């Protein structure tokens, strides 16, 4: 059963992705933040143009899919195209917070040993 207003015509989706069913990279999950690195160029696919305009500020993959009214799997393919061309950057929110905020694993191991000794 299809949701009303959803643009999931199989022929159109096939055309959007050039027949691909998977993204060529694992760089994207639902919360990966995408940022445009350039302005849209003449002759670009309309969905790529929309993504670049939408991602002028960091935008999660799931938000991009919602705005484009496309399945996340299709959006990941479109994003992987743009990433390969250097037109976007992608980063996971966990990496943006900085690894310095994570506890030291040696310290955690020492605490675990101490708790086991109690």
């Amino acid at each position: 059963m299809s949701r009303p207003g959803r643009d999931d015509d199989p022929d159109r989706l096939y055309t959007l992705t050039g027949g691909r069913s998977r993204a060529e990279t694992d760089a994207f999950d639902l919360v990966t933040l995408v940022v445009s690195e350039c302005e849209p160029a003449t002759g670009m696919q309309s969905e790529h143009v929309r993504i670049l305009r939408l991602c002028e500020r960091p935008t999660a993959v799931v938000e991009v899919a919602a705005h484009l009214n496309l399945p996340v799997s299709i959006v990941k393919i479109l994003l992987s195209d743009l990433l390969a061309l250097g037109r976007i950057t992608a980063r996971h929110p966990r990496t943006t917070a900085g690894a310095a905020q994570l506890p030291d694993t040696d310290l955690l191991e020492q605490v675990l040993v101490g708790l086991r000794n109690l």
Side-chain angles (χ1 to χ4, degrees):
M1 180 185 246
S2 183
R3 288 186 275 168
R6 182 104 181 165
D7 188 4
D8 55 4
D9 172 34
D11 292 335
R12 180 168 182 274
L13 298 180
Y14 182 87
T15 303
L16 284 178
T17 64
R20 295 170 291 161
S21 61
R22 294 178 187 261
E24 295 181 15
T25 179
D26 291 335
F28 303 103
D29 63 18
L30 294 177
V31 296
T32 300
L33 297 174
V34 178
V35 180
S36 301
E37 293 298 328
C38 65
E39 294 292 321
T42 304
M44 288 181 73
Q45 185 174 330
S46 63
E47 286 75 16
H48 287 149
V49 170
R50 290 175 64 196
I51 290 170
L52 290 176
R53 289 191 176 136
L54 180 63
C55 296
E56 290 175 349
R57 294 188 176 157
T59 308
V61 171
V62 70
E63 291 178 82
V64 174
H67 283 284
L68 295 179
N69 201 28
L70 291 170
V72 172
S73 60
I74 301 299
V75 171
K76 286 181 181 181
I77 295 169
L78 297 172
L79 289 171
S80 71
D81 294 342
L82 292 170
L83 184 65
L85 295 170
R87 296 186 181 271
I88 62 168
T89 54
R91 63 184 186 269
H92 199 278
R94 286 182 286 203
T95 60
T96 61
Q101 295 178 349
L102 298 175
D104 180 38
T105 54
D106 291 332
L107 176 63
L108 291 176
E109 286 180 29
Q110 290 173 8
V111 169
L112 183 60
V113 168
L115 290 172
R116 285 183 181 151
N117 290 335
L118 287 177

